[in-house]
Amino acid sequence: MECDDISSDGLATAVEACERWRDEGRGEAAADVARGLAKTAAALDAAKREAEGTAEAIERELARSNANGGEERIVRGDSAMETDDGAEEETGARASAATEEKDGVAPGASDFTERAKYIPMRLTPEERKKLRLLEAALHVSEYTDVVDVFSYRSKTQRITRQLKEICAIMCGLVVASDYRAGQKLIVDKEFKDNEAFFQDVFEIGRRHKVMNPEKMRSEYGKLIFLLQDSQSEEVQELLGFKLVKPLQTVFAFLQSRGGEAMLGDSLIEAATAEIMHEGLPRHEVQRMIKRKERAREVVASKYSSSTLDKEDILQCLYSIADNNAYLRFNRDPVDKMLGLLNKYFDPSAAEKAYSLGITMGMGGARLSHNHQRQFTYCAQSMMLWREVLNDMFRLWYLAESDLLCERNYYSLTNTGQGLNRVQSCPRVGKAMHGVLAKCQRALGGWVGSSVVHLGDHNVPNALVFIDKYSQVSRILNPIVLVIDELPNLAKDSGLKAYIEATFGGIEECQKAILCDFFKHAFDGSGSDNFFDAGSCIDGRLTSSWNWCSKIEKKTYYPIFKLAGFSGFDGGDFRS
């Protein structure tokens, strides 16, 4: 009998049977059985209380997220934003270098001053021209194919040659696009004379990627790895100049122009709010848009000066608004999945045919959880994902700081998935443990392992960490869309008959999809051993990837296709 099938009534009956057995003269054995059953009952009661507590914590968190309502629903960052007080960050903005973490207590949701330290500036039209040059140069480059191999030839010389080749390609593209500008760039000059130009171009590429994670999916890896190599003292000596400069953030931009006081204005929230138009009449949406535009104009007029004009201020407001849009697209699917978990599944009791219980060895599972414990495990995992995505810009900033630190060397190692750059991640590791601790405090406990893999063969470096958690919305968004689209599909009589004949109804189909996801996307599968998958922090996401790879074999896959599902990749690989 599986753990999730044991009920309180069944335990009581077993205890009564033990008492009768004891009366017949087998008292010692009966007492042992009774003690074991009593422990099982206590464990089940504890799991039930834990699941109910987790469900209540989720409801409170979702209610707090939606409490920004009123006339305008606002999407904004609301997690703790800690600052790094470790070693000096060569790639960090000077503005945040002096900020210290204080007892892990971070500013609240509306503290735009702290948020702005990690929000990159939106690109200007001129910067977008340079971005196209960088993308073209990286697209034709074979940097990692040449550098990240085992060879007897000097790696430093190979790196330097590749870096100069990329710089030469960019100079050539500048000449091709604007002859006069290209002439000024290359005539009677060496690469080191154009250090500022190359630093600007590479910084623009990094900034664009943070704001648009779905872009530059193959080029960004080359970009980070070549910048990582350029930080080596030996390479800098041969190259003659540096390619890395601090990321241009909203706070750094305003501080350099004496306008950082703007971030404390009460109108910033209204001027950057993400307008949620779903279910609202057109006139209401128009009124909200006009209110937002008026707030922008008031802020721009109030804080403009000789060093900071209105266009600069509007660019900063647009950048903060871009961060809110990012949160809406990436964090909201996690909120919706948490809501669906609470809506369709009782944390304390399993509905017949929709139990979340899993048993190791069955269906590929590597864990054994009854319904209550699996409910808690899924909820806690998604709460952690929510906090990571809510704080992603800060984590990305710290990840680049780890990757591009001059004194943080890497080793080229075969991790079982090819050659990877294994590098320690002190800054992002510290921040990730802070996020985890925040979740554990909010939920009052934790199911499974709390190990965070960073700088080992599971997560070799901070770039892999960022890539892993960038996939969360790509996994959850299609599921949410299919669940929401099912009632519309049922408006067709033929499709409705198919759904009822196969699943029993619309709600039953939704429950079947969600039940399978919450069971087998969180069952510890997806790797060759328990250390690499299981219940560790990164293993939870590995199991979800594994579930996605098997979607075509599911009985409900036709429903996904009918709802418009095309894949979990989020579009064309190079989009």
Side-chain angles (χ1 to χ4, degrees):
M1 182 181 292
E2 294 183 15
C3 294
D4 55 297
D5 292 331
I6 299 177
S7 64
S8 299
D9 293 338
L11 286 169
T13 303
V15 171
E16 290 175 2
C18 289
E19 290 176 353
R20 290 195 301 273
W21 194 15
R22 180 190 58 196
D23 295 339
E24 294 174 2
R26 300 176 181 176
E28 186 176 348
D32 290 341
V33 174
R35 280 194 296 271
L37 290 173
K39 289 181 180 178
T40 303
L44 288 174
D45 287 340
K48 179 179 177 180
R49 290 193 299 272
E50 187 176 30
E52 290 174 346
T54 300
E56 292 173 1
I58 292 171
E59 289 175 356
R60 288 195 302 270
E61 184 68 22
L62 294 178
R64 185 170 67 85
S65 298
N66 295 328
N68 301 326
E71 295 183 350
E72 192 168 1
R73 290 176 60 197
I74 299 171
V75 176
R76 64 191 185 186
D78 59 1
S79 73
M81 282 195 168
E82 305 166 54
T83 54
D84 182 42
D85 62 347
E88 179 183 356
E89 297 181 17
E90 288 78 8
T91 60
R94 290 186 299 271
S96 61
T99 306
E100 295 183 357
E101 184 181 11
K102 297 182 179 179
D103 302 326
V105 178
S110 57
D111 192 342
F112 287 97
T113 301
E114 186 65 23
R115 283 182 61 195
K117 292 177 181 178
Y118 307 103
I119 298 176
M121 285 290 294
R122 179 190 279 192
L123 302 188
T124 64
E126 286 300 316
E127 288 176 333
R128 292 186 184 278
K129 293 180 181 179
K130 294 181 179 179
L131 174 66
R132 300 294 173 261
L133 297 176
L134 177 64
E135 288 181 319
L138 292 173
H139 180 55
V140 300
S141 171
E142 297 180 348
Y143 183 82
T144 51
D145 295 336
V146 175
V147 172
D148 286 347
V149 295
F150 291 131
S151 173
Y152 291 105
R153 297 172 59 189
S154 170
K155 184 170 183 177
T156 301
Q157 292 182 359
R158 281 184 284 139
I159 291 171
T160 305
R161 184 162 52 251
Q162 289 295 313
L163 291 176
K164 288 184 176 181
E165 181 180 316
I166 291 174
C167 292
I169 291 172
M170 285 194 291
C171 289
L173 290 171
V174 172
V175 174
S177 60
D178 188 335
Y179 179 76
R180 295 199 175 192
Q183 191 177 36
K184 293 179 181 178
L185 193 67
I186 64 175
V187 171
D188 298 328
K189 290 184 179 180
E190 297 181 2
F191 287 137
K192 62 182 179 181
D193 298 324
N194 295 314
E195 180 180 18
F197 170 78
F198 292 125
Q199 287 181 352
D200 288 343
V201 171
F202 288 123
E203 187 272 336
I204 287 168
R206 291 161 53 206
R207 192 162 15 122
H208 175 70
K209 176 63 178 180
V210 176
M211 299 293 283
N212 304 274
E214 74 281 0
K215 303 293 185 182
M216 296 178 66
R217 292 181 62 187
S218 59
E219 288 86 352
Y220 182 70
K222 297 179 189 177
L223 172 62
I224 286 296
F225 284 159
L226 71 87
L227 292 179
Q228 185 182 43
D229 289 333
S230 74
Q231 293 290 82
S232 165
E233 293 180 0
E234 295 84 358
V235 173
Q236 286 185 17
E237 185 177 347
L238 290 176
L239 199 60
F241 62 99
K242 298 185 66 172
L243 296 177
V244 178
K245 78 175 206 176
L247 207 64
Q248 180 74 290
T249 63
V250 172
F251 183 85
F253 180 85
L254 289 172
Q255 189 181 50
S256 65
R257 291 161 175 77
E260 66 271 21
M262 181 193 83
L263 296 169
D265 196 291
S266 59
L267 285 176
I268 293 292
E269 190 171 302
T272 59
E274 179 78 1
I275 296 175
M276 312 289 279
H277 65 278
E278 293 86 353
L280 296 177
R282 183 182 293 271
H283 71 274
E284 183 71 15
V285 175
Q286 291 297 327
R287 188 176 69 83
M288 291 161 62
I289 293 173
K290 289 181 180 178
R291 179 188 172 191
K292 183 175 179 178
E293 291 174 346
R294 284 198 300 272
R296 282 177 175 170
E297 287 300 321
V298 170
V299 172
S301 300
K302 182 177 179 180
Y303 292 97
S304 60
S305 64
S306 58
T307 57
L308 187 67
D309 58 34
K310 286 187 176 181
E311 288 301 319
D312 291 336
I313 294 174
L314 289 175
Q315 192 76 355
C316 292
L317 295 177
Y318 293 148
S319 301
I320 298 174
D322 289 343
N323 176 240
N324 290 333
Y326 171 88
L327 292 176
R328 180 185 180 187
F329 182 79
N330 290 274
R331 186 190 65 189
D332 282 15
V334 187
D335 287 341
K336 291 177 181 177
M337 287 298 289
L338 284 167
L340 292 172
L341 177 63
N342 271 6
K343 177 181 178 181
Y344 288 109
F345 301 94
D346 187 336
S348 58
E351 182 182 351
K352 188 177 180 180
Y354 299 110
S355 169
L356 299 182
I358 57 175
T359 303
M360 183 173 63
M362 297 180 63
R366 289 179 174 268
L367 305 172
S368 290
H369 289 161
N370 61 12
H371 173 83
Q372 293 90 342
R373 195 163 182 80
Q374 182 68 3
F375 180 97
T376 305
Y377 181 73
C378 293
Q380 291 179 350
S381 300
M382 290 191 292
M383 283 290 288
L384 176 65
W385 293 353
R386 181 189 186 278
E387 293 303 320
V388 169
L389 292 172
N390 192 68
D391 214 10
M392 180 57 82
F393 277 26
R394 182 177 70 98
L395 291 172
W396 203 316
Y397 179 94
L398 297 176
E400 285 200 352
S401 298
D402 282 333
L403 287 162
L404 304 181
C405 178
E406 289 185 6
R407 297 186 298 273
N408 191 12
Y409 302 104
Y410 69 85
S411 62
L412 194 63
T413 307
N414 188 345
T415 62
Q417 301 179 27
L419 294 176
N420 283 277
R421 300 186 177 198
V422 179
Q423 182 189 42
S424 63
C425 314
R427 297 174 180 84
V428 74
K430 178 181 177 181
M432 189 62 187
H433 280 95
V435 172
L436 177 60
K438 181 190 175 187
C439 287
Q440 291 173 334
R441 287 195 301 269
L443 296 169
W446 196 254
V447 174
S449 171
S450 298
V451 174
V452 179
H453 289 288
L454 280 170
D456 57 16
H457 72 279
N458 293 290
V459 184
N461 51 62
L463 178 61
V464 177
F465 166 83
I466 290 297
D467 183 61
K468 282 175 73 78
Y469 285 96
S470 296
Q471 312 301 320
V472 171
S473 60
R474 292 178 182 168
I475 294 172
L476 299 185
N477 228 352
I479 302 172
V480 171
L481 293 175
V482 169
I483 297 297
D484 291 343
E485 186 64 20
L486 264 170
N488 295 328
L489 290 177
K491 292 178 181 179
D492 184 282
S493 58
L495 292 178
K496 182 178 181 181
Y498 164 73
I499 294 172
E500 290 178 347
T502 306
F503 301 98
I506 301 300
E507 184 172 332
E508 287 77 7
C509 182
Q510 292 173 324
K511 284 184 178 180
I513 294 171
L514 293 171
C515 181
D516 185 71
F517 175 76
F518 290 132
K519 286 176 67 173
H520 296 296
F522 298 90
D523 62 2
S525 61
S527 188
D528 296 331
N529 56 70
F530 288 95
F531 183 74
D532 294 345
S535 64
C536 66
I537 301 304
D538 307 282
R540 300 164 193 247
L541 194 48
T542 302
S543 300
S544 296
W545 282 353
N546 188 55
W547 178 86
C548 292
S549 69
K550 300 177 179 179
I551 187 71
E552 294 87 353
K553 300 178 182 178
K554 306 293 184 181
T555 56
Y556 49 77
Y557 183 62
I559 300 296
F560 270 65
K561 298 301 289 184
L562 289 168
F565 173 77
S566 59
F568 292 104
D569 193 49
D572 179 70
F573 182 74
R574 292 198 62 254
S575 62

